[in-house]
Amino acid sequence: MAVYILRRLLQVIPMLLLVTFVVFLLVHAAPYDVVDSITTPQMSDETVAAMRERYGLDQPMLVQYGLWLAHVVQGDLGYSLASRHSIAEELAVRIPNTIILVAPAYLVALALAVVLGLLAGSRRGRLTDKIIDGLAGIGIATPSFWFALLVIYVFGYVLRWFPIIGMHSVGKQGDPLDFLAHFAMPFLVLLVAFFPELARYVRSATIGQLSQDYVLVQRGFGASGGQILSRHVSRNVMLPIITQLGLALPILVTGAIVTESIFGWPGVGPYFLTATRSLDYPVILAVLLLSAVLVIIGNLIADILYVLVDPRIRIGAGS
């Protein structure tokens, strides 16, 4: 296991270099840059050229990438070219806000998916299965931004049950009831976004387990459908679900970009979209670097969890 983990960690370095270089290349292939987004037509060419020199954008692309990489290796994510604020400080404030919103939504969606997915898979082809699978299909086909706007219109404008924008009302930063009121609508949107694919996943795994030989053996011994489902099928279905927790790690940071932006939630989403619109490449690269690291770590955690929860599996040095 130690050799396997070390080898996977060593694979991270070239992967991250490739991801960041490709993103850097795409950003610099755009017809404009961050200076174009902050200049005005009244500025002279000399002023614009001075700004490009100040931000280092007059250097060749490889030189800019090398300078950025040298700072990152030292643990310095740099500063936003648009706001001149520290990227590390901004992310330190915004990432907890995103986790507070995304983690509860994902865990509740996962719990509902396990219960309803097991129920649907055990009643394949029946009315219960058709309803649950149909709802999952509708959820997958529904764009999150459209559902978010619908939720805002119904619960924000028509019923006026919840505030629409932000994480807190002005002057109520420490009020838990005010926080829950702001939390309700984006939580509902993310719940509906996460649930369908998880439910389909559990349903498919349940159907696959019910076709295994051990189910026929248990039925031959007189076990009821409920006993087989609760004692055997659910345990085997939980194995891949546990590994999903590792794969879901990147979602905690970048899983709600659109939803956060629509509701004005002060997380990573609005920060990243603002940087993307202005081609603020240090911010873009910092967020994508963080996301790539979480993807790699999440896959590693998923592999380790798979081994820990199933003692039949062993990871050898050559696997």
Side-chain angles (χ1 to χ4, degrees):
M1 176 66 76
V3 174
Y4 173 77
I5 293 175
L6 178 61
R7 188 170 66 250
R8 288 289 297 270
L9 291 176
L10 291 176
Q11 293 172 355
V12 168
I13 298 174
M15 202 174 301
L16 292 179
L17 287 174
L18 178 62
V19 169
T20 54
F21 181 76
V22 169
V23 173
F24 201 89
L25 186 65
L26 292 175
V27 169
H28 281 73
Y32 69 97
D33 55 27
V34 67
V35 171
D36 295 318
S37 68
I38 59 179
T39 54
T40 63
Q42 290 75 27
M43 291 183 178
S44 64
D45 292 340
E46 291 78 9
T47 302
V48 174
M51 292 180 67
R52 292 187 187 279
E53 183 178 358
R54 175 188 175 189
Y55 293 139
L57 297 177
D58 59 329
Q59 301 290 332
M61 187 198 72
L62 290 178
V63 174
Q64 294 181 45
Y65 178 74
L67 292 173
W68 174 83
L69 190 61
H71 284 90
V72 170
V73 170
Q74 299 173 19
D76 179 15
L77 295 177
Y79 291 82
S80 165
L81 297 181
S83 67
R84 303 307 298 169
H85 292 163
S86 169
I87 297 174
E89 292 179 1
E90 288 278 358
L91 291 178
V93 173
R94 292 175 178 274
I95 288 176
N97 293 340
T98 297
I99 293 175
I100 289 172
L101 175 63
V102 176
Y106 186 84
L107 292 176
V108 173
L110 181 61
L112 288 174
V114 170
V115 174
L116 297 180
L118 284 169
L119 182 61
S122 63
R123 299 176 179 240
R124 182 182 184 185
R126 300 181 188 177
L127 179 61
T128 303
D129 176 39
K130 291 180 180 179
I131 292 174
I132 296 174
D133 191 48
L135 290 174
I138 294 173
I140 291 174
T142 302
S144 294
F145 72 89
W146 179 86
F147 183 67
L149 295 176
L150 179 63
V151 168
I152 290 174
Y153 176 75
V154 173
F155 296 105
Y157 281 109
V158 177
L159 299 177
R160 297 184 180 276
W161 286 357
F162 305 109
I164 297 171
I165 299 297
M167 186 175 175
H168 298 284
S169 299
V170 177
K172 295 185 177 180
Q173 281 75 8
D175 188 346
L177 293 179
D178 180 72
F179 168 77
L180 291 175
H182 285 81
F183 175 81
M185 288 198 295
F187 170 82
L188 176 61
V189 172
L190 289 178
L191 179 63
V192 172
F194 293 146
F195 169 77
E197 291 188 4
L198 291 171
R200 283 275 181 92
Y201 182 82
V202 176
R203 175 183 178 272
S204 177
T206 302
I207 292 173
Q209 288 297 320
L210 288 173
S211 64
Q212 297 296 317
D213 292 338
Y214 74 86
V215 174
L216 296 177
V217 173
Q218 292 297 323
R219 286 174 179 165
F221 280 107
S224 65
Q227 291 174 331
I228 295 174
L229 186 65
S230 61
R231 296 179 182 178
H232 303 284
V233 173
S234 61
R235 293 176 62 184
N236 290 326
V237 168
M238 288 302 294
L239 178 61
I241 292 175
I242 290 175
T243 63
Q244 284 291 315
L245 295 176
L247 298 176
L249 189 61
I251 294 177
L252 294 179
V253 175
T254 58
I257 290 178
V258 174
T259 302
E260 285 183 327
S261 301
I262 291 175
F263 287 97
W265 192 269
V268 177
Y271 186 56
F272 181 71
L273 285 185
T274 300
T276 302
R277 284 195 295 267
S278 61
L279 285 184
D280 192 351
Y281 78 83
V283 175
I284 297 172
L285 287 172
V287 174
L288 292 180
L289 177 66
L290 177 62
S291 179
V293 169
L294 291 177
V295 168
I296 295 168
I297 294 176
N299 277 276
L300 179 58
I301 291 175
D303 291 342
I304 295 173
L305 286 175
Y306 208 96
V307 175
L308 294 177
V309 299
D310 191 346
R312 298 171 298 177
I313 299 174
R314 290 291 180 267
I315 298 179
S319 62

